[in-house]
Amino acid sequence: MSSSNVVSLEPRGLSSRETAAVTLAEQNALFTAALNNMPHGLCMVDGEGRLILCNPAFGAMYRLPEMLTRRGTSRERILEYGFSTGQGPVSGVAEYLARSAEAGPGQSIVGELALADGRTVRISHTPIEGVGYVATHEDITDRVEASAKIEFLAYRDTLTGLPNRTAFQRGFDAAVEAAERQGEMFGVIMIDVDHFKDINDTLGHDAGDALLLNLAKTLSKAFRRGDTVSRLGGDEFAVVLRGLNGPEDLLRPIEVLQGLLRKPVEHSGRSFTISASLGAAIHDDPDADPLHLLKNADVALYEAKSGGRNRCVVFKPAMRTQVEQRVELLREVRLAIAQGEFDLYYQPVVDLVSNKVAGFEALMRWNHPEQGVLPPAAFMAAFEDTDLSLQLGEVAFERALGQMRAWLDEGVEFGRVAVNISSEQFRTGRLASDIADKLRAWNVPAERLAIEVTENVYMGWGADVVAETVCALHATGVQIALDDFGTGYASLANLRQFPVDRLKIDKSFVQNAEDDAIVRAVINLGASMGMKVVAEGVEKPEQLAALSAYGCDQVQGYHFAKPMPAGEVAAFVRGFGGV
Ligand code: C2E
Ligand code: CA
Ligand code: CA
């Protein structure tokens, strides 16, 4: 209001009655001006709940027709109007009415209404002795949104919009409390994307982000609304599942999730499958400490990853000691590599058409100072450890190539030597050039070497690097064998994507008469795709006879020889008289 509009309250030589009337009129004008210009809505209501007065901001706030802003309008009518137009409050009314009914004169209470259009209104309500009440209505939408944003930033992961680590911890703490107080059963699942770092390194951060977003969506689909599905950071996700009735309530969503993960994901025209490792733990023993659940789930996740990834493991108490043993084993292997205790044994592969030794498979052995010669089963964990598998791979190539050079010099007809490759070796992206360098260094022709890879290296987001590596190796003349065929998830589509020279039928099929049909199918498949088929684990003459009848190209197994030290190879080749 400008100063010229200010009505003077000073008497101006009028009679006292006239003065009183003028003063009242002036005061009224002042109050009206104040009411009309205040940003908040204001209403005064009598003891019967009827409007005494309200200001324009009040009418505007609730979009009331002029008629409903008049004196005498009941509060109910105003509310009804809001409901009938669908613009009224959607929550907070009942609570506000109840609390305001209890407030005594002079006692202010505050209520909050959520309106249908998303606005939030805060009401300050003050009863007035003998009148009713006066209330101001303030639109606090901006403030609510700002604090929601702050909440979002503090408790949400910005990439996926999922609860973050802080929110996860809050959800976990709440579950622990409910378990301690009411004996509630709950579970935790830790999820880790396999080889995420390689995906980022080789396909770029966009692909990495797309994968994480996709996984976040998949996780939200697999679990209930009430489960806290969170991203802990990087490629780690975790879920808290509350109010479980039994282990099956934990296992069911895991199965759903694994099913969803098998579906390929499209990203910039390529199709991938996300492979993830899951560790789960359930608090179902009232005597156990629920606080340990996070640690247990972590141990289970560790088990899942070291068991070859792409799997789910549910925690069992025995795992604690297993994990400790594994850590101890890896420490020993590290030492043993440094001491040169690892060596290769060689098992002959026999060609059924030429009836000759076609080559040897190089198999790792540990010459343990106390326990003697140990097979890979005793140190499998080392092949799955990122660092050690690379070191063992290095040992295998150095030994195999050194040995091949020696045999070439001695004129031993060893054919082709197949070296097993762990998936970790592929992930480096350098495998092809490393092998080429080593072949050159030892002066061994590429035609003397084969590599054996299992199907699971061909799967997942690293598949591009694997394809490049395999193609590069194949182009130089190194043969590619697909190992343990039939035990993994590799599809025919995978087979066609990469050059594969040999299919190795897993020994479990060869040795099980019931799998006869599978063996025949694989042999036919290999023939139709121009690959040689090798059967492993041939122990009995009848197995050999059947394989031979089905047209299997090559065989390997104890029937001919167990893996032998390099020193016995020359004599074996010389003495081999055929099948
Ligand atoms: P694999 O590649 O499937 O190797 C075949 C395994 O079957 C070998 O076990 C071999 O000794 C065994 N075997 C061969 N013929 C018969 C048979 O007639 N009957 C039976 N019961 N078994 C037979 P081994 O040497 O213990 O190797 C086990 C696994 O360890 C290999 O399976 C391979 O996956 C892995 N491995 C071995 N050496 C290396 C290596 O240098 N690098 C990598 N990454 N993995 C290796
Ligand atoms: Ca093999
Ligand atoms: Ca095999």
Side-chain angles (χ1 to χ4, degrees), residues 113-192:
L113 303 184
L115 303 188
D117 61 7
R119 284 178 300 156
T120 307
V121 175
R122 171 170 295 166
I123 308 173
S124 299
H125 175 111
T126 314
I128 304 172
E129 181 81 71
V131 177
Y133 69 87
V134 64
T136 57
H137 293 238
E138 185 188 354
D139 184 336
I140 58 163
T141 313
D142 289 349
R143 243 184 287 162
V144 169
E145 278 172 1
S147 64
K149 203 164 191 175
I150 291 167
E151 165 96 354
F152 185 89
L153 290 177
Y155 293 108
R156 294 272 159 174
D157 165 52
T158 41
L159 175 66
T160 61
L162 290 179
N164 62 9
R165 188 181 281 275
T166 314
F168 172 80
Q169 189 63 45
R170 229 172 30 165
F172 179 75
D173 293 345
V176 168
E177 202 183 305
E180 279 169 346
R181 262 214 214 126
Q182 304 131 35
E184 186 184 293
M185 196 185 289
F186 75 105
V188 171
I189 302 171
M190 296 286 178
I191 300 153
D192 194 293

Side-chain angles (χ1 to χ4, degrees), residues 400-412 414 442 444:
L401 290 169
Q403 190 58 59
M404 283 150 85
R405 183 66 254 159
W407 284 331
L408 285 169
D409 292 341
E410 293 158 16
V412 177
F414 62 92
W442 286 102
V444 171

Side-chain angles (χ1 to χ4, degrees), residues 361 452 483-484 504 506-507 536:
E361 178 175 3
E452 297 197 359
D483 209 353
D484 303 347
K504 297 194 78 172
D506 192 68
K507 60 176 172 287
E536 350 174 271

Side-chain angles (χ1 to χ4, degrees), residues 150-441:
I150 291 167
E151 165 96 354
F152 185 89
L153 290 177
Y155 293 108
R156 294 272 159 174
D157 165 52
T158 41
L159 175 66
T160 61
L162 290 179
N164 62 9
R165 188 181 281 275
T166 314
F168 172 80
Q169 189 63 45
R170 229 172 30 165
F172 179 75
D173 293 345
V176 168
E177 202 183 305
E180 279 169 346
R181 262 214 214 126
Q182 304 131 35
E184 186 184 293
M185 196 185 289
F186 75 105
V188 171
I189 302 171
M190 296 286 178
I191 300 153
D192 194 293
V193 180
D194 297 334
H195 304 296
F196 184 70
K197 194 183 160 298
D198 304 323
I199 293 157
N200 257 339
D201 290 354
T202 56
L203 299 177
H205 288 268
D206 279 358
D209 283 357
L211 176 145
L212 293 175
L213 273 172
N214 197 286
L215 181 57
K217 253 189 248 156
T218 308
L219 288 171
S220 305
K221 256 187 252 169
F223 295 96
R224 297 172 306 178
R225 254 173 202 289
D227 300 335
T228 320
V229 175
S230 329
R231 179 173 174 221
L232 302 184
D235 59 340
E236 283 174 66
F237 293 79
V239 191
V240 181
L241 298 98
R242 296 275 304 271
L244 306 181
N245 293 313
E248 63 286 352
D249 283 353
L250 184 75
L251 299 176
R252 214 177 309 112
I254 290 176
E255 268 171 38
V256 172
L257 175 62
Q258 289 179 316
L260 291 172
L261 285 179
R262 271 194 277 277
K263 294 214 183 83
V265 179
E266 301 289 332
H267 177 72
S268 30
R270 293 210 193 102
S271 157
F272 303 98
T273 41
I274 301 179
S275 127
S277 301
L278 278 69
I282 186 166
H283 173 73
D284 56 358
D285 172 6
D287 295 331
D289 185 350
L291 266 177
H292 287 159
L293 214 61
L294 274 189
K295 186 112 192 69
N296 294 353
D298 262 336
V299 168
L301 176 62
Y302 181 88
E303 281 287 318
K305 282 202 267 187
S306 47
R309 297 194 163 84
N310 193 18
R311 68 193 64 210
C312 175
V313 170
V314 180
F315 175 80
K316 287 189 209 72
M319 278 173 198
R320 275 199 192 288
T321 37
Q322 283 171 24
V323 169
E324 283 158 15
Q325 283 169 359
R326 194 191 301 275
V327 170
E328 174 65 15
L329 173 73
L330 294 184
R331 200 184 60 79
E332 281 180 37
V333 168
R334 202 165 290 125
L335 263 172
I337 293 175
Q339 310 273 351
E341 289 170 16
F342 286 94
D343 199 0
L344 293 173
Y345 271 38
Y346 297 85
Q347 185 178 37
V349 178
V350 174
D351 192 289
L352 289 179
V353 178
S354 66
N355 211 6
K356 284 198 179 115
V357 176
F360 288 82
E361 178 175 3
L363 294 155
M364 190 71 80
R365 294 293 180 265
W366 180 0
N367 291 313
H368 197 282
E370 283 129 41
Q371 298 171 46
V373 179
L374 298 177
F379 54 92
M380 219 44 170
F383 285 129
E384 284 142 10
D385 179 87
T386 313
D387 181 39
L388 291 180
S389 63
L390 294 184
Q391 294 190 35
L392 286 174
E394 192 72 17
V395 171
F397 272 114
E398 285 301 312
R399 292 272 166 174
L401 290 169
Q403 190 58 59
M404 283 150 85
R405 183 66 254 159
W407 284 331
L408 285 169
D409 292 341
E410 293 158 16
V412 177
E413 262 319 316
F414 62 92
R416 205 186 264 266
V417 169
V419 175
N420 290 281
I421 306 284
S422 70
S423 50
E424 295 292 344
Q425 287 172 273
F426 269 103
R427 309 276 165 194
T428 63
R430 290 188 315 266
L431 187 65
S433 57
D434 277 1
I435 291 180
D437 290 348
K438 287 185 177 21
L439 285 169
R440 218 172 298 121

